Amino acid sequence: MTDLTQSLFGVEFHSPVLLASGTCGYGPEYADLIPLDRIGGLVTKAVSVEPRVGNPPHRVAETPGGMINAIGLENVGLERFIAEKLPWLKENLTRAHAFVNVVGYTSDDFAAVVAGLDGEEGFLGYEINVSCPNVKGGTMFGTDEIALAELVKQLRAETQRPLVVKLTPNVADVGVFARICEENGADGLSAINTFPGMLIDVERRRTVIGNRTGGVSGPAILPMGVYSTWRARAACNLPIMGIGGIRNGNDAMQYILAGACLVQVGTASFVDPDAAICVHEGIASYLEDHGLPTLTELVGALENEGISGLPS
Amino acid sequence: MTDLTQSLFGVEFHSPVLLASGTCGYGPEYADLIPLDRIGGLVTKAVSVEPRVGNPPHRVAETPGGMINAIGLENVGLERFIAEKLPWLKENLTRAHAFVNVVGYTSDDFAAVVAGLDGEEGFLGYEINVSCPNVKGGTMFGTDEIALAELVKQLRAETQRPLVVKLTPNVADVGVFARICEENGADGLSAINTFPGMLIDVERRRTVIGNRTGGVSGPAILPMGVYSTWRARAACNLPIMGIGGIRNGNDAMQYILAGACLVQVGTASFVDPDAAICVHEGIASYLEDHGLPTLTELVGALENEGISGLPS
Amino acid sequence: MLTTRTDLHGVSGADSRADHRTGHRAPHRVTPCRSRARVTSRRRVADDTWWIELDSPEIAAASQPGQFVMFGLGLEEPGVFLLPRPFSVAWRSEDGRVGLLLRVFGEGTRRLARLEPGDEALLLGPLGRPFRVAPGRPIECVAGGVGLAPFIFLTAEATAASNSAAGPSAGASVRLLYGERSERLLFDSDLLHELTGVTPELFTEDGSAGRRGFVTAGIEDGSEALLLACGPTPMLHAVVRLAAERGRELQVSVEEHMACGIGTCQGCVVPGADGSWIKSCVEGPVFDATELTWPI
Amino acid sequence: MLTTRTDLHGVSGADSRADHRTGHRAPHRVTPCRSRARVTSRRRVADDTWWIELDSPEIAAASQPGQFVMFGLGLEEPGVFLLPRPFSVAWRSEDGRVGLLLRVFGEGTRRLARLEPGDEALLLGPLGRPFRVAPGRPIECVAGGVGLAPFIFLTAEATAASNSAAGPSAGASVRLLYGERSERLLFDSDLLHELTGVTPELFTEDGSAGRRGFVTAGIEDGSEALLLACGPTPMLHAVVRLAAERGRELQVSVEEHMACGIGTCQGCVVPGADGSWIKSCVEGPVFDATELTWPI
Ligand SMILES: Cc1cc2nc3c(=O)[nH]c(=O)nc-3n(C[C@H](O)[C@H](O)[C@H](O)COP(=O)(O)OP(=O)(O)OC[C@H]3O[C@@H](n4cnc5c(N)ncnc54)[C@H](O)[C@@H]3O)c2cc1C
Ligand SMILES: Cc1cc2nc3c(=O)[nH]c(=O)nc-3n(C[C@H](O)[C@H](O)[C@H](O)COP(=O)(O)OP(=O)(O)OC[C@H]3O[C@@H](n4cnc5c(N)ncnc54)[C@H](O)[C@@H]3O)c2cc1C
Ligand SMILES: Cc1cc2nc3c(=O)[nH]c(=O)nc-3n(C[C@H](O)[C@H](O)[C@H](O)COP(=O)(O)O)c2cc1C
Ligand SMILES: Cc1cc2nc3c(=O)[nH]c(=O)nc-3n(C[C@H](O)[C@H](O)[C@H](O)COP(=O)(O)O)c2cc1C
Ligand code: FES
Ligand code: FES
């Protein structure tokens, strides 16, 4: 039997597969559909200090090989998250771990969420979302080296819990931002969030998405996510959660070989709620088929790593 | 009858559709397959001062909803381009216009190509490729504001011909780079080049692409291209060639409504060599179906442009 | 593996949606079923319009009129990525088939319309809040286009109920008004009668069949029947206006883009009467007209 | 609309490819045809392996053994994006059908294998440089796996030619060695004989049919026949080594990922003997072994 267990962020992850932020709510809906404790965990929808109403419809639409969304980080806000959502996570997750996805307009906003949550139970750590393309200033921290460094430093001071920063691919070099996170005390990285995109209804001559622009996710961005993971891995030593377009074990193994130790499944769950379970099983089969007892040795294990790749 | 003619770059484009750089060679192969003079023109494969051998195979592979390539800007170099390729363009294109896609490692490299070509016949202008993710330093100029400004200024001094800069989407804000091009004398923009990506063969544990990383193109990037076009349009007044994932009239109209006056068809031509013709015809049908006599009034004509898009 | 809890959504109208402690709406909780369903038949019932039956006993058993399914191809189809699309449950059979009425609009419906008998699809459902009709209450259904779908189910169930009750008022309690742009889009009327036992009052905008004009013209003056409406947004607006003018109680089934269908993505919001955004997949798709904001 | 210029690529081996003025290779120019082709039949000929015939008179007429087509679905298929894939022309009929031998490897071939009779596909071809065989020259074909495809075409044409020539040496001039991993992958031998008139010498790695071992074991010692090889890379390497050792003339058909198939994308390069990259779609897929660099 293969064992997918890894020790990460001070705990055991018995599966490398998590549900991605914004695609699994705060947990209960998927618990009706899949046994959450069979996967590694989930990342909640973004939580901000104040409740947010979000963007007008349409908020989602399909794009070639993927989808676009502009939810606008609608969420119940810190207070109600603690009162109404955290208790469910605490009571219902046993082996699965929860990360809380955190957003804010200012670094103090982020810090307030972390400070407000830190004494609570029901979750493992934070995924700091500096990479949402669907709100004004949503990627500000994710594309500004100095602002990101300050933010990570400030949050590090607020908590001992795992602090994972979710990167945006929307920069010249993800590696630079990965390194900044490491240098300022982050414990891990998530790569990647969505790409800014626009879809136009040519009959109505309007953008399909109410917010006009949105974030593109799904299989379409798989190669960009694998690339970003590989860049981040080359630039720093933090554990990485690979995200973007993962539908099956093969997709997940690409991220793992590129350097991710965990993976997150987002859009694919909309196509099939069983997606995360299939990804988990696909990874397990890969190990079995190749006679590999553990996952750890595969993380970043590209055979042509280091080969120059230039013609003779 | 609808008329798709537009006056741009000092000439008439009787069709807004061009073949994208790197996907149509230097012209002759497609001339065997489609009547090139029915479309607006083509952009040649990149030309550098010296010949380049390019990257090792595999150089292309399919990705979800698109493809990845790392040709490595293989090309015959300036001298042989003038001797062997330009004459064909001069003799065979009547109504269609050619842009020469120009690359270089240094700004002097770029300038040498422009200077070397400027006295020749057979092409209309230049598309300056500061956005190739498949060679070391390929996007250097496209992601560095100061370097880009200097480059555009230097090239402007070399030529009176249309000078179009091809942007990379791989930056925090395409608009910033669009404005830099305008301020430094460019005549137009092309948006966008490919996204850096990676594909891994999990059986062999190697990257599929010999160069390891490549550029992702095709339908998968359509919403990102439309978005970049819209951003560039908002940031400056230059005419824009919209590129990325265009397969049909609907896709092209999205770019046009977002602000492009011309569009380029790349990957789709691989799937069907008739793609550019179909795109042309699709745009014509759109105008006819909507009783619109000319294309110009549709450029950037989004109805919800300027609407805040925020919930009540 | 998964149990469906039909008891949670009664047809009594009694399910309380406002959580008065927090002042916030509690979503309508159903436990949907993920069902790999084989297409058992497909027939063309009008221009670009198909009647598709799939074998899905769990969903057939648990569904109520007004609920919907997410209908897609799953992740296995080579070279295809398709988000599932929402479709009203339009019918069910005792032997576990679910009927869907599908009209081709764009890429997604074009692909789904190609499914042939024997092909497998992925269904998730039943989802959302159904129509809420107190037993015995007369109803008037206003269907525009494929908005007919939930009313096929509803009228079929009503006919079955009144047949088994066999009371004297049976048959009088359900009116079905059905409008289309033109005759060539009208659902095959023989099949419709076969499925529902009801003969609809037909309207076409161009007068090519039934009465000429909008379906709303058929809404009875002075009736006290509960109005139920499903169809394109302009039609819904017209019905809402008319119901408000005449003081009629109205439930509408709304359409918004959806990704998950189960309340997690927050993609499907519609404007609530209090100015908030409401998730139509879990709190709808059927709303009391007064729960939402409508343009005046 | 498009004319095919079969005269440009003779079987005479005389087409000069090196442009001596510049010292650079001039690509083999063929004018391919874009053909919306209907699948006329599909049959399973081995595990995961299909014989597909398509109606494409232009391509059938212009093709020569060793040439290939780009085989895809075009841009119309809803929800599907698929680059076309290269396939050897494996057969042609007088009435304009083209036969392809397709084995499922990944997503693309999985999708293409689903095409059913009546479905439309898009073919671009014929493409590339064919095998070059001087008239009357004896040949020995070495086929590994679906590398059999071009040799079905070649042997069928040779049989037809020798039948019409009806000379005494007819039939003796073509040997076909065909290897597979195992019997269940072997092309249906009745169909193969029906198509080609030739009975291949079979090899399987596991000995489940024919001789046990690699197909290269069948290459005749001391023969002067022209060697032609098509198959997986390790097999090609073995044949190249053997031909070099024995001083045999060898043409190989190579496989590299392709996007355009017509020489524009520069995606399909293989290493030339002079260290340069050569586009296999226009200068190949058939090369003299000496034109390329091989691992030692
Ligand atoms: C609760 C509910 C029940 C429905 N029941 C039926 C039914 O019984 N029969 C029927 O034919 N149609 C029904 N629809 C509408 C059907 O879902 C749409 O026609 C379909 O989603 C359009 O997809 P497309 O790809 O063909 O169209 P496109 O316009 O190409 O779709 C583009 C994007 O918009 C979304 N979209 C477009 N129109 C709609 C719409 N009206 N509703 C939701 N999303 C949309 C798609 O999901 C996709 O993401 C229902 C919709 C809802 C919300
Ligand atoms: C000139 C030529 C002739 C061929 N003739 C035949 C034939 O007659 N019968 C047959 O079954 N196969 C033939 N092949 C191989 C066939 O093209 C591949 O099996 C097919 O492209 C694999 O696609 P896939 O999506 O199933 O595989 P995947 O491995 O999923 O493909 C991933 C990517 O790699 C490319 N790729 C993978 N393997 C190959 C390959 N061997 N050659 C080219 N591209 C590849 C695909 O195009 C795609 O971009 C031929 C290849 C060439 C170059
Ligand atoms: C509907 C939707 C909502 C999302 N909301 C969030 C969010 O609140 N916070 C966040 O960090 N990422 C959010 N994301 C991004 C995903 O977590 C993930 O990074 C992205 O979708 C790429 O993964 P995928 O291709 O598997 O979906 C959202 C994505 C979708 C599709
Ligand atoms: C095989 C290949 C080669 C390319 N070569 C070049 C190039 O030399 N110069 C350039 O500016 N862009 C090059 N591109 C990018 C395209 O011109 C275009 O910007 C991109 O592919 C997006 O358009 P598409 O989705 O329609 O293909 C290349 C793209 C492909 C697929
Ligand atoms: S469709 Fe996802 S919340 Fe309603
Ligand atoms: S496949 Fe494009 S050049 Fe050969």
Side-chain angles (χ1 to χ4, degrees), chain C residues 23-290:
Chain C
H24 287 278
R25 244 174 255 102
H28 175 71
R29 281 294 294 280
V30 293
T31 303
C33 178
R34 172 191 179 276
S35 163
R36 272 236 147 263
R38 203 166 285 282
V39 174
T40 57
S41 71
R42 180 190 65 171
R43 65 195 261 191
R44 196 177 158 285
V45 288
D47 262 21
D48 282 335
T49 311
W50 304 84
W51 179 256
I52 299 176
E53 293 177 9
L54 301 109
D55 195 33
S56 182
E58 316 86 320
I59 294 179
S63 294
Q64 296 182 48
Q67 289 189 302
F68 68 100
V69 291
M70 295 299 281
F71 175 27
L73 304 171
L75 290 163
E76 301 285 291
E77 203 64 16
V80 176
F81 173 85
L82 199 76
L83 285 179
R85 302 290 197 263
F87 286 88
S88 303
V89 176
W91 180 76
R92 64 167 163 204
S93 71
E94 303 227 321
D95 67 350
R97 280 168 296 147
V98 169
L100 303 179
L101 175 60
L102 180 148
R103 180 161 294 167
V104 173
F105 279 100
E107 287 272 289
T109 44
R110 197 145 70 93
R111 180 63 187 80
L112 292 171
R114 295 219 180 161
L115 282 170
E116 285 175 18
D119 289 347
E120 262 200 357
L122 191 65
L123 296 181
L124 184 69
L127 300 168
R129 255 201 325 167
F131 289 110
R132 295 162 294 279
V133 185
R137 172 105 191 245
I139 54 177
E140 203 170 354
C141 307
V142 188
V146 281
L148 176 67
F151 298 127
I152 299 178
F153 189 10
L154 188 137
T155 54
E157 300 278 305
T159 301
S162 72
N163 283 351
S164 66
S169 72
S173 57
V174 181
R175 272 188 83 205
L176 174 57
L177 313 174
Y178 170 34
E180 277 289 6
R181 267 173 295 139
S182 183
E183 186 184 13
R184 64 191 168 73
L185 289 169
L186 278 177
F187 189 94
D188 179 305
S189 53
D190 293 340
L191 179 59
L192 188 55
H193 190 268
E194 181 190 319
L195 292 168
T196 64
V198 164
T199 305
E201 295 166 47
L202 297 181
F203 297 79
T204 54
E205 292 176 30
D206 64 3
S208 51
R211 282 166 60 187
R212 166 180 247 116
F214 292 113
V215 63
T216 40
I219 296 174
E220 211 172 354
D221 229 354
S223 154
E224 291 287 288
L226 174 62
L227 271 174
L228 307 178
C230 184
T233 308
M235 182 203 97
L236 292 188
H237 289 176
V239 181
V240 167
R241 229 176 291 120
L242 195 144
E245 279 163 24
R246 301 192 191 162
R248 294 278 297 271
E249 196 182 337
L250 168 65
Q251 289 173 21
V252 293
S253 179
V254 301
E255 285 188 11
E256 184 45 69
H257 291 200
M258 293 181 178
C260 72
I262 58 171
T264 65
C265 77
Q266 313 193 62
C268 60
V269 295
V270 292
D274 61 357
S276 68
W277 296 116
I278 305 182
K279 290 189 265 190
S280 63
C281 70
V282 283
E283 307 203 25
V286 177
F287 291 95
D288 292 335
T290 52

Side-chain angles (χ1 to χ4, degrees), chain B residues 149-209:
Chain B
E150 292 300 321
L151 176 67
V152 175
K153 216 178 290 171
Q154 183 175 356
L155 299 182
R156 181 71 292 167
E158 295 287 350
T159 182
Q160 301 294 319
R161 291 184 188 250
L163 188 65
V164 174
V165 180
K166 186 162 178 182
L167 302 172
T168 171
N170 211 30
V171 294
D173 183 0
V174 164
V176 170
F177 292 85
R179 210 171 306 117
I180 287 170
C181 293
E182 183 176 45
E183 285 166 3
N184 290 281
D187 298 306
L189 300 171
S190 289
I192 53 176
N193 213 314
T194 54
F195 284 86
M198 179 179 271
L199 197 66
I200 294 174
D201 179 335
V202 304
E203 290 306 318
R204 298 169 61 235
R205 287 187 216 158
R206 300 174 66 90
T207 60
V208 172
I209 294 296

Side-chain angles (χ1 to χ4, degrees), chain D:
Chain D
M1 187 181 78
L2 294 162
T3 54
T4 49
R5 291 179 277 165
T6 43
D7 50 315
L8 278 183
H9 38 72
V11 283
S12 62
D15 64 328
S16 142
R17 292 175 52 252
D19 178 334
H20 296 291
R21 194 172 47 83
T22 63
H24 288 277
R25 242 175 256 104
H28 176 71
R29 280 295 294 280
V30 294
T31 303
C33 177
R34 172 191 179 275
S35 163
R36 273 237 146 264
R38 204 167 285 283
V39 175
T40 56
S41 71
R42 180 191 65 171
R43 67 194 259 191
R44 196 177 157 285
V45 287
D47 263 19
D48 281 335
T49 312
W50 304 83
W51 179 257
I52 300 176
E53 292 177 9
L54 301 109
D55 195 32
S56 181
E58 316 87 320
I59 294 179
S63 294
Q64 295 180 50
Q67 289 190 301
F68 67 100
V69 291
M70 295 300 281
F71 175 28
L73 303 171
L75 290 163
E76 301 284 292
E77 202 65 14
V80 177
F81 173 84
L82 199 74
L83 286 179
R85 301 290 196 266
F87 287 87
S88 302
V89 176
W91 180 76
R92 64 166 164 204
S93 71
E94 303 228 322
D95 67 350
R97 279 168 297 146
V98 169
L100 303 179
L101 175 59
L102 180 149
R103 179 161 293 165
V104 174
F105 279 99
E107 287 272 289
T109 43
R110 195 143 71 93
R111 179 63 187 79
L112 292 170
R114 294 219 181 163
L115 282 169
E116 285 174 19
D119 290 347
E120 261 200 358
L122 192 65
L123 296 182
L124 183 68
L127 301 168
R129 254 199 329 163
F131 289 109
R132 296 162 295 279
V133 185
R137 171 104 193 247
I139 54 176
E140 203 170 355
C141 307
V142 188
V146 282
L148 175 67
F151 298 126
I152 299 178
F153 188 11
L154 188 136
T155 53
E157 300 277 305
T159 301
S162 71
N163 283 351
S164 66
S169 72
S173 56
V174 180
R175 271 188 83 205
L176 174 56
L177 312 174
Y178 170 34
E180 277 289 6
R181 266 173 295 139
S182 182
E183 186 184 15
R184 62 191 169 73
L185 289 168
L186 278 176
F187 189 95
D188 180 305
S189 53
D190 292 342
L191 179 58
L192 188 54
H193 190 270
E194 181 190 320
L195 292 168
T196 64
V198 164
T199 305
E201 295 165 50
L202 297 182
F203 297 79
T204 55
E205 292 175 31
D206 64 1
S208 52
R211 282 168 59 188
R212 165 182 249 118
F214 293 114
V215 63
T216 40
I219 297 174
E220 212 173 352
D221 229 355
S223 154
E224 290 287 288
L226 174 63
L227 270 175
L228 307 178
C230 184
T233 308
M235 182 204 96
L236 293 188
H237 289 177
V239 181
V240 167
R241 230 175 291 120
L242 195 144
E245 281 163 24
R246 303 192 189 163
R248 294 276 300 268
E249 197 183 338
L250 168 65
Q251 290 173 22
V252 292
S253 179
V254 301
E255 286 188 10
E256 185 45 69
H257 292 198
M258 294 181 177
C260 72
I262 58 171
T264 65
C265 77
Q266 311 191 65
C268 59
V269 295
V270 291
D274 61 356
S276 69
W277 296 116
I278 305 183
K279 289 190 265 189
S280 63
C281 70
V282 283
E283 305 202 27
V286 177
F287 290 94
D288 292 334
T290 53
E291 293 179 291
L292 303 179
T293 297
W294 301 94
I296 334 158

Side-chain angles (χ1 to χ4, degrees), chain A residues 32 58-60 62 270 272, chain C residues 34 83 85 256-257 266:
Chain A
D32 287 345
H58 305 313
R59 287 180 171 185
V60 293
E62 192 168 287
F270 300 150
D272 186 343
Chain C
R34 172 191 179 276
L83 285 179
R85 302 290 197 263
E256 184 45 69
H257 291 200
Q266 313 193 62

Side-chain angles (χ1 to χ4, degrees), chain B residues 179-304:
Chain B
R179 210 171 306 117
I180 287 170
C181 293
E182 183 176 45
E183 285 166 3
N184 290 281
D187 298 306
L189 300 171
S190 289
I192 53 176
N193 213 314
T194 54
F195 284 86
M198 179 179 271
L199 197 66
I200 294 174
D201 179 335
V202 304
E203 290 306 318
R204 298 169 61 235
R205 287 187 216 158
R206 300 174 66 90
T207 60
V208 172
I209 294 296
N211 184 52
R212 287 185 292 179
T213 68
V216 178
S217 63
I221 70 167
L222 178 83
M224 292 79 137
V226 173
Y227 168 81
S228 298
T229 298
W230 178 77
R231 285 296 288 176
R233 164 86 177 185
C236 74
N237 290 310
L238 296 179
I240 300 168
M241 301 206 243
I243 321 172
I246 297 175
R247 294 158 298 177
N248 52 40
N250 190 305
D251 296 343
M253 284 311 307
Q254 293 194 52
Y255 276 93
I256 290 168
L257 291 167
C261 47
L262 300 174
V263 295
Q264 295 182 18
V265 176
T267 303
S269 294
F270 301 149
V271 180
D272 186 343
D274 270 4
I277 300 285
C278 296
V279 171
H280 171 93
E281 282 167 4
I283 297 170
S285 306
Y286 181 91
L287 290 180
E288 247 162 63
D289 294 351
H290 295 78
L292 299 161
T294 67
L295 189 61
T296 318
E297 66 201 273
L298 286 173
V299 174
L302 269 188
E303 298 281 339
N304 59 342

Side-chain angles (χ1 to χ4, degrees), chain A residues 5-191:
Chain A
T5 304
Q6 297 175 94
S7 289
L8 291 166
F9 305 119
V11 300
E12 303 255 284
F13 279 80
H14 72 281
S15 160
V17 184
L18 289 86
L19 300 175
S21 177
T23 65
C24 58
Y26 303 100
E29 294 85 356
Y30 273 99
D32 287 345
L33 284 162
I34 62 171
L36 282 181
D37 273 320
R38 279 196 53 206
I39 58 170
L42 60 84
V43 186
T44 69
K45 178 70 192 167
V47 176
S48 52
V49 188
E50 79 298 353
R52 293 197 188 176
V53 291
N55 292 326
H58 305 313
R59 287 180 171 185
V60 293
E62 192 168 287
T63 62
M67 66 176 283
I68 184 168
N69 90 79
I71 307 301
L73 300 179
E74 171 171 342
N75 80 91
V76 295
L78 175 63
E79 200 177 310
R80 284 184 54 212
F81 174 74
I82 294 174
E84 298 166 24
K85 309 296 179 185
L86 255 188
W88 188 92
L89 291 171
K90 190 183 157 197
E91 278 157 38
N92 291 277
L93 299 190
T94 337
R95 302 206 298 166
H97 301 289
F99 285 89
V100 177
N101 188 265
V102 180
V103 284
Y105 293 116
T106 64
S107 55
D108 290 342
D109 282 354
F110 280 96
V113 176
V114 169
L117 278 170
D118 220 49
E120 303 292 333
E121 284 176 71
F123 72 107
L124 172 66
Y126 307 98
E127 182 179 69
I128 306 303
N129 179 359
V130 292
S131 46
C132 178
N134 302 330
V135 293
K136 268 218 168 64
T139 58
M140 201 182 70
F141 291 97
T143 59
D144 179 331
E145 304 177 25
I146 295 163
L148 181 63
E150 292 300 320
L151 177 66
V152 175
K153 216 177 291 172
Q154 184 175 356
L155 299 182
R156 180 72 292 167
E158 295 286 351
T159 183
Q160 300 296 318
R161 289 185 189 250
L163 189 66
V164 174
V165 180
K166 186 162 179 181
L167 301 172
T168 171
N170 211 31
V171 293
D173 182 1
V174 162
V176 170
F177 292 85
R179 211 172 304 116
I180 288 171
C181 293
E182 183 176 45
E183 286 165 2
N184 289 280
D187 298 305
L189 300 170
S190 289

